[in-house]
Every structure is written in structure tokens, then in C-alpha cells.
Amino acid sequence: MSGCPDLSFEKAAFARGILRVAGVDEAGRGPLCGPVVAAAVRLDPAAVPGGLNDSKKLSAARREALFAAIMAAADVSIAEASAAEIDVLNILEASHLAMCRAIAGLGEAPDHVLIDGNRIPRGLAISAEAIVKGDARCASIAAASIVAKVWRDRIMVDLAQQHPGYGWEHNAGYPTKDHLVALRNLGPTPHHRRSFRPVHNILCQEESVSS
């Protein structure tokens, strides 16, 4: 099927003599709460799960099935940067921090990483290549996008049980209408990103009311 991610970026690296290539992607840059999650995945070219694609193009059930297949067949590392770290660093830097943590957690250190997007994290000490729309073009990045998305969705379901009313079990912390209404009615939780405008504005309103 045309238009699906493949191993062309990985094979190009192998042709240059690189032995271990990992794909890296993150999930959760846009939500108002919860961590940003990154995954690093080094696929076995002889055992690539079928049907890999950008996680946003897959159903939740398909993502779950592929998550299990990837975890069983690949070297996988998952890492986070917390809401507090996002507020201190900004979302881009926190995403890159989570990516670096994920890369560092792989069972075998990669020689080269393929990173979704147009920027390579600062301070990354190994060979790296940024690939725009990598999750739709590169199999390793697509696998990482699936792992990061499934893992983060599970985190948000768990947090939803601790903080009911915000709808995190189905909106994953994104600024949906129900989430914004709950944020105004219930106020922010410790998991909300205070540097994000809707949360910041509500906190400012609370301060002005209480002062």
C-alpha cells in the first residue's frame, strides 16, 4: 500500500555502515494537562509489525494491537517530562527532554536516531536526523508514535480516575469543550500545565477573585 511509512530511512543509515537505528516521537504536546511522553523504538528489520502508520491515522483498537506487537518485537523505551517540567522549560524543550530520556533508556544505545519533526534536541550526543512528518514516512518513527500515544492515553485514563469530571479518559487532556467547562467549574488540578493559556487565564481569574 502506497503512502505508508517504510524502512527507507533506516536502510539508508545501514548503507552508511550504521548498525543500530532508532525512531523517536512524542505524544502530548497539545493537551492542557499531564506529561508529554516520548518513545524510542529500534525495530528488527526482519520482524517489523504489519500496518505501522502515524498513530493519528489509526483507531484506538488498532493502536493497542500494534503497541503489543511493537513491544514484543522491538527494543522500546518510553519516557516522560512532567507538567511541572513543561511549565519550567516550555513544551518544545520538555518534549526534547523526554525524547533524550527515551533514547537513553533503550536496551542497546543506538548509533543513529530518526526524530519526528524539524528539530534535533539540543545536547543529543549521538548522530541524529530530523524528519518532517516522520510518523507518516518512517517505520521506526511510526512505531514510536504509536507507543507514545498508547502509553500517554493510558496515563490520562489513570489520572481521570483520580480527578473525575474533566473527561480525560476520552479527551486525553486536550482542550475540548467539556474539558474547558470543567476547568472553569472545578479549577486546575496539580496535573494541569500552568503555562498554557487557558489554565493560566483561569488561575489569574482565581487570584483576582481571592485578592
Side-chain angles (χ1 to χ4, degrees):
M1 191 168 74
S2 63
C4 287
D6 59 28
L7 289 172
S8 57
F9 290 97
E10 293 85 347
K11 288 176 178 175
F14 297 148
R16 300 197 300 272
I18 293 166
L19 297 177
R20 292 185 294 274
V21 180
V24 186
D25 201 3
E26 49 70 28
R29 281 178 62 159
L32 303 180
C33 58
V36 60
V37 173
V41 176
R42 186 166 71 86
L43 293 171
D44 176 354
V48 177
L52 292 178
N53 210 333
D54 173 1
S55 64
K56 296 182 289 296
K57 297 178 181 176
L58 300 169
S59 68
R62 188 74 187 119
R63 284 196 299 266
E64 285 283 350
L66 281 166
F67 177 91
I70 294 162
M71 296 300 287
D75 183 3
V76 180
S77 172
I78 305 166
E80 303 171 16
S82 67
E85 288 174 318
I86 292 166
D87 287 338
V88 169
L89 296 172
N90 76 46
I91 185 59
L92 176 63
E93 294 293 336
S95 298
H96 283 176
L97 175 62
M99 285 181 172
C100 290
R101 287 171 173 166
I103 293 165
L106 284 167
E108 283 191 279
D111 304 308
H112 184 67
V113 290
L114 306 167
I115 294 178
D116 185 53
N118 60 2
R119 298 190 188 188
I120 293 167
R122 285 186 299 169
L124 190 60
I126 61 172
S127 169
E129 178 179 355
I131 302 172
V132 175
K133 296 191 180 350
D135 46 8
R137 301 167 63 199
C138 168
S140 297
I141 295 177
S145 81
I146 292 163
V147 170
K149 169 70 174 161
V150 169
W151 193 266
R152 190 180 186 282
D153 284 352
R154 291 178 181 179
I155 289 172
M156 295 313 298
V157 169
D158 287 346
L159 289 177
Q161 294 171 353
Q162 300 170 37
H163 300 276
Y166 297 89
W168 295 344
E169 65 278 12
H170 56 80
N171 65 39
Y174 282 88
T176 57
K177 185 176 179 181
D178 61 332
H179 188 185
L180 292 171
V181 168
L183 191 56
R184 284 192 291 270
N185 291 338
L186 302 174
T189 70
H191 301 285
H192 276 96
R193 303 171 182 179
R194 276 139 174 77
S195 56
F196 278 42
R197 188 174 298 279
V199 184
H200 177 76
N201 289 348
I202 285 169
L203 288 167
C204 288
Q205 290 167 9
E206 287 181 353
E207 286 176 9
S208 64
V209 168
S210 61
S211 59

